[in-house]
Amino acid sequence: QVQLVESGGGLVQPGGSLSLSCAASGRSVSFAAMGWYRQAPGKQRELVATISSSSGASTNYADSVKGRFTISRDNAKNMVYLQMNSLKPEDTAVYYCNVYGTMYWGQGTQVTVSS
């Protein structure tokens, strides 16, 4: 069993930045690919970014966030991060951490982009 806890969400103005963290416990996630998802009211949960477990740490991003968001990880700390820059109102959503391809999810952290 893996527990995931997201943090770092909040209110930010358009064009601003936030850094989200996902802390894993119960088991190391260093072997697993990880993902960030988001869900806005009335919309499906969508995949934002993924990062592999390999030393090459390959990443993948949704078209809507390419060039603005960066996913990273620190396996020694059992942590995954999402750096969010140039935020837009349409980025407003609850952001979730996931052990990619599994049923393991965090509770989510709210990101609100508004002036």
Side-chain angles (χ1 to χ4, degrees):
Q1 178 69 36
V2 177
Q3 295 81 44
L4 304 173
V5 179
E6 302 93 338
S7 63
L11 175 64
V12 65
Q13 294 184 344
S17 298
L18 283 173
S19 183
L20 306 184
S21 298
C22 173
S25 62
R27 185 179 179 183
S28 173
V29 295
S30 62
F31 62 92
M34 301 291 292
W36 283 97
Y37 289 72
R38 67 186 181 186
Q39 187 167 25
K43 293 190 174 182
Q44 298 181 57
R45 188 171 298 187
E46 64 174 336
L47 181 62
V48 175
T50 62
I51 185 166
S52 72
S53 62
S54 67
S55 59
S58 62
T59 58
N60 215 346
Y61 298 92
D63 288 343
S64 59
V65 307
K66 284 181 180 177
R68 300 188 297 119
F69 291 9
T70 303
I71 187 171
S72 62
R73 67 193 301 163
D74 185 338
N75 287 336
K77 297 180 179 179
N78 224 21
M79 298 280 290
V80 185
Y81 308 97
L82 186 68
Q83 179 64 46
M84 310 165 67
N85 299 323
S86 302
L87 284 162
K88 305 174 180 179
E90 51 263 46
D91 295 318
T92 296
V94 178
Y95 284 71
Y96 299 90
C97 181
N98 172 243
V99 181
Y100 189 65
T102 76
M103 62 177 286
Y104 298 108
W105 296 88
Q107 295 299 307
T109 186
Q110 176 71 50
V111 172
T112 302
V113 185
S114 177
S115 60

